[in-house]
Structure formats: structure tokens, C-alpha cells
Amino acid sequence: MRNSGKTQKSKPRNGLVAALDVGTTKVCCLIAKPGGDHGPRIVGIGHQISKGMRNGVIVDLDQAEASIRTTVEAAEQMAGENIHEVIVNLSGGRPKSRLVAYEVAIGGHEIGDGDIQRILDPANLAQEIPDERELLHRIPMGYGVDGNRGVADPRGMYGERMSVNMHVVSALRGPLRNLEAVIRRCHLDLEGVVVSPYAAALGCLSEEEKALGVTCIDMGGGTTSVAVFFDGELVHTDVLPIGGAHVTKDIARGLVTPLNHAERLKTLYGNAMASANDDRQLIQVPSVGEEETPEAHTVPRSVLVGIVKPRMEEIFELVRDRLKQGGFDQVAGRGLVLTGGASQLPGAREMADTVLNKQARFGRPLAMDGMAEASAGPTFAACAGLLQYGLGHRAEETGAEMPQSAEPQGRFGRIGQWLRENF
Ligand SMILES: Nc1ncnc2c1ncn2[C@@H]1O[C@H](COP(=O)(O)OP(=O)(O)OP(=O)(O)O)[C@@H](O)[C@H]1O
Ligand SMILES: [Mg+2]
């Protein structure tokens, strides 16, 4: 049980890596044991309906705490061990991506690890991050020495000045502090905070996709988040406060039915694309206010599709417009990966293809030893990505070999052609 009432700050590590996805509709926790013949093994899985969240933001600390506690406890019980720290995702706090250039003097000496540390020092970015925001990620994307850009790794080179291009992700301090507070109230330490779209992308993209360039869209219950990779690097992230729950609410309002029935109708009969048979198929819709013996009214399926389609269209159009605004609509090519619970709506992929002019596939968590069938679906992509991130982070700390697709902060990135041309 994790309600002993005493804090467990800086407890000795037991070698487990734990990921906690605090979503709008569900909380999930994965615990992994690194090492082993087949790589890291998942030893604990917890999964709960989420309370106290709205559009990726904590709105009720007590409820959020209770959801997280029960989820973590279930995962710990399965693992047979307690965890002391977690890698967690952040969807709230309006995360913002920016590309930043920074330069330091070298004075003609050979560039070494110390110079790299100096140029990547988060303190250098103080001017770039407004007071109300906090730095979440700084991902080096390429270096320059004396104006010669496109240097992948400048160590060993000589020069007077060294520059770096970085992808910087920041978020509003308030929502980040609330997340930290809730995690602390569960007597857990924060090992890392990862912006949600980055986590989802790490969970379901292949190395090849990242290298070729790809856009990953995680459609959750209360948010739709976007990550763009180019030349192996994360170059852009965005989080929109709209998701599958909005579709459900539209159905409840439009068909005058309770939310739980709207959710059921959406998953059973919903479709983002209209089809010729929709007018002929009749569906039973329980009426609102008659919970005990709900009297149903009958509507053609086309009415349901007529509610679902415009909302899904709106979400994809918003994503398209935001990508365009940031100049990231073309950068990553036509590859698109759709993940998250709301991506399971039939017709979502076809609609994404059309609206975004890309070619989509569904993204599920990358295979890992011990991953149960129940946690292999798209709703677990972000949690699996947090685990990948955590495993990469630990491997970097201990000098062990990094697992595939882990992208811990601070590793030296390659420069992309697009960045060379546009930065
Ligand atoms: N088969 C399905 N068809 C359509 N929608 C579905 C299906 N299964 C789940 N959903 C929707 O997926 C959403 C939940 O997805 P997910 O678990 O990825 O969200 P979350 O991580 O809790 O939220 P967020 O990422 O926005 O904070 C809900 O809106 C639910 O209605
Ligand atoms: Mg989610």
C-alpha cells in the first residue's frame, strides 16, 4: 500500500523503471525490469478510469491522486515490488515547441565533452523561456563550428565559436506543478516529465519512420497531440484540447441520450465516413432521464454518422492548420501514424489521409517482453513511450546499451537537411 503517510524521497532504487500515463479518460502504469536475455521485461501493469482530469489538465487533485494511487498499486501488486519514482507525461500547460540557436566561444582549443555540456546547459535558455513557463525538453539537432553548420558531433574539432540548434519544449508552470504535487502526494518521486505527444511517438514509431520523417497523432479522450520527426529527431510537438470525449458529448447532446450510451453507440456504430447503407440501418437510442428502464427511440445510423463526422473533421482540420502555421505540414513527408483510443473510430484513418494529405497507419505500442494483450492497444502507446524514455534515461545514467527507440534528452542528434536549410 502506498498510503503510509510518510514521504519516500530519494529511496534507494530497486532497478525497476516505471511509467505513468495520466490521461483524461484513463490512467495507466507500466513497470519494467531492465536487462534480461530478451531486453527489458514488463513486470507490472495497472489501468484505471481517470478522475479529476479535463483535457489533459488536473482539475481535482484529490480525485487525480486516488486514480493514480489505485493504478500504481495494481501495477506494483502484479510486479510484486513497490516503485519509488515514475516517468510521467504532461498534456496540460499548453506545451510549446520552439527551435532555438545558441553559441559559445571556444577560443581555438579542441572541443571536448565539457564544451558540449556548457553549450547545452539549460541555464543558457533562461532568456528564451518566459517566467510563467518551464523547460521540459531540449533536444540538440546539430552543431556548427565557426559558421560551418551541419556538424553532427563537434568533439575533437578546433574552432573559435561553436553553435547548436535545439528543439526546446516548454510548458506553463502551474499545470506542471499540479502534476508534480499529485505524484508527490502518492509518495512517488518524479524521474522525468515527458510531453505527451513525444511519449506517444516513442511508444509506437519505428526507427525507420523517425529517420524518414513522420507525423504522429495521438487522439485521446480530451486531447489530440502531435509529434513531428525529421531525420531521426523530434522537431515539433503540439497538444490540442479536443479529443474523443467531445465526439461522445456531441452524440449525447444530438441524440438526447446519456453519456454512457453515447459512448457505446459511438464504439458500436460510429464512423467518421458516411456510407450508402447508413440511412437503412436503424439504431436504438436510450432516452435521457429514463435510466432504470430506458425507453429507446430509433434513428437511422446516418444521423449518428452525421454527428460524428463533422467533429472528427474539425479535429483533423485543426491539426492540419496548426501544422501549417508552424511550417511543419510538409517537412516530415507523407508518413502519418495514428494512435490513442479515439483513433480506433472506424473511418478515422481514411479521414486523416484525406484532410492531412498523408498516408496513415495505426500505431500500437512497440513489442516488449511481458506486454499483455490488454496493454498492446493504441491507448497504451503513450505509456509504452514513457517506459522507453525511462529505460533510455537509465541506460544513459549507467552507461549500458540503449534500448531501441529510446530518446533520452541530451543525446547528440544528427542535423537534418530541413534544419540546415531553414534554421
Ligand atoms: N473503439 C473505439 N472507437 C472509437 N473511439 C474509441 C474506441 N475506444 C476508445 N475510444 C475513445 O478513445 C478515447 C480515450 O482514448 P485514450 O485512452 O487514448 O485517452 P486518454 O489518454 O485517457 O486521454 P488524453 O490522451 O486525451 O489525455 C475516448 O474518448 C474513447 O471514447
Ligand atoms: Mg493519452
Side-chain angles (χ1 to χ4, degrees):
M1 293 289 280
R2 47 184 47 268
N3 52 0
S4 62
K6 56 183 196 296
T7 58
Q8 301 183 338
K9 265 212 160 293
S10 307
K11 271 219 165 182
R13 281 179 174 168
N14 52 8
L16 297 177
V17 178
L20 181 70
D21 172 6
V22 186
T24 309
T25 58
K26 57 100 198 10
V27 182
C28 53
C29 176
L30 291 173
I31 303 177
K33 205 166 229 160
D37 291 344
H38 307 286
R41 178 173 169 74
I42 294 177
V43 292
I45 302 169
H47 184 208
Q48 271 285 324
I49 288 177
S50 161
K51 299 239 169 82
M53 300 285 298
R54 191 178 301 140
N55 300 130
V57 182
I58 295 168
V59 291
D60 186 318
L61 290 171
D62 291 339
Q63 287 191 349
E65 180 190 338
S67 308
I68 293 171
R69 269 173 189 268
T70 31
T71 308
V72 171
E73 274 170 15
E76 285 177 327
Q77 203 158 25
M78 182 175 160
E81 277 187 81
N82 281 356
I83 54 169
H84 308 306
E85 49 195 350
V86 285
I87 312 277
V88 72
N89 60 328
L90 181 78
S91 306
R94 282 186 261 134
K96 211 191 266 176
S97 272
R98 271 192 66 198
L99 298 176
V100 172
Y102 192 74
E103 199 175 75
V104 293
I106 296 298
H109 69 247
E110 184 183 342
I111 297 171
D113 285 339
D115 298 302
I116 301 290
Q117 272 169 21
R118 189 157 55 96
I119 202 168
L120 295 180
D121 187 345
N124 300 337
L125 296 166
Q127 303 282 326
E128 305 289 341
I129 313 282
D131 282 349
E132 70 278 13
R133 288 190 160 260
E134 202 152 300
L135 178 66
L136 282 185
H137 301 286
R138 59 186 209 297
I139 299 164
M141 317 191 71
Y143 298 85
V145 179
D146 292 342
N148 295 315
R149 292 199 274 172
V151 177
D153 184 353
R155 286 173 299 180
M157 295 176 96
Y158 293 83
E160 293 300 324
R161 302 196 69 76
M162 172 170 67
S163 61
V164 65
N165 294 333
M166 270 178 286
H167 173 199
V168 170
V169 184
S170 67
L172 290 175
R173 212 174 278 274
L176 182 58
R177 288 279 167 274
N178 290 337
L179 182 66
E180 285 171 357
V182 167
I183 300 293
R184 262 201 316 275
R185 282 164 66 156
C186 297
H187 307 296
L188 290 165
D189 288 341
L190 258 190
E191 187 173 352
V193 179
V194 181
V195 67
S196 294
Y198 190 19
L202 290 179
C204 68
L205 297 181
S206 70
E207 291 302 313
E208 195 175 22
E209 277 171 328
K210 286 187 263 183
L212 281 172
V214 68
T215 303
C216 180
I217 304 179
D218 176 3
M219 305 189 77
T223 65
T224 296
S225 69
V226 187
V228 181
F229 275 78
F230 181 82
D231 217 359
E233 303 294 352
L234 178 77
V235 294
H236 181 68
T237 62
D238 200 2
V239 179
L240 306 172
I242 185 168
H246 294 77
V247 179
T248 307
K249 215 174 270 175
D250 289 349
I251 297 170
R253 285 205 186 114
L255 298 182
V256 200
T257 192
L259 276 173
N260 57 335
H261 288 293
E263 180 73 24
R264 189 181 59 86
L265 291 169
K266 179 176 81 168
T267 47
L268 280 179
Y269 308 109
N271 203 308
M273 308 292 269
S275 83
N277 291 331
D278 290 346
D279 267 336
R280 289 199 291 272
Q281 196 179 347
L282 298 178
I283 54 177
Q284 303 279 313
V285 181
S287 301
V288 110
E290 298 175 51
E291 283 288 355
E292 292 290 310
T293 46
E295 208 166 285
H297 51 283
T298 305
V299 298
R301 189 180 182 182
S302 55
V303 174
L304 177 71
V305 174
I307 295 170
V308 171
K309 188 169 178 265
R311 182 60 99 167
M312 290 297 282
E313 226 157 22
E314 183 198 0
I315 296 175
F316 286 122
E317 282 169 3
L318 268 172
V319 169
R320 179 196 62 197
D321 295 348
R322 291 277 282 250
L323 282 170
K324 220 175 235 175
Q325 266 171 29
F328 289 92
D329 53 330
Q330 306 281 338
V331 168
R334 295 193 61 230
L336 177 67
V337 175
L338 275 189
T339 194
S343 71
Q344 296 174 101
L345 185 85
R349 197 180 71 181
E350 292 80 352
M351 182 177 265
D353 283 351
T354 312
V355 175
L356 290 147
N357 187 27
K358 294 191 189 289
Q359 198 174 312
R361 75 159 175 97
F362 286 121
R364 290 171 174 280
L366 298 164
M368 261 184 96
D369 200 20
M371 184 74 101
E373 192 149 326
S375 52
T379 54
F380 270 82
C383 201
L386 291 171
L387 198 57
Q388 294 283 352
Y389 185 94
L391 288 163
H393 189 256
R394 286 281 177 90
E396 202 175 55
E397 270 182 5
T398 57
E401 205 171 295
M402 295 233 296
Q404 263 230 329
S405 78
E407 297 257 356
Q409 263 174 281
R411 108 189 150 79
F412 307 120
R414 291 179 302 140
I415 185 124
Q417 189 190 341
W418 174 82
L419 284 161
R420 260 184 262 134
E421 286 167 0
N422 294 280
F423 204 82

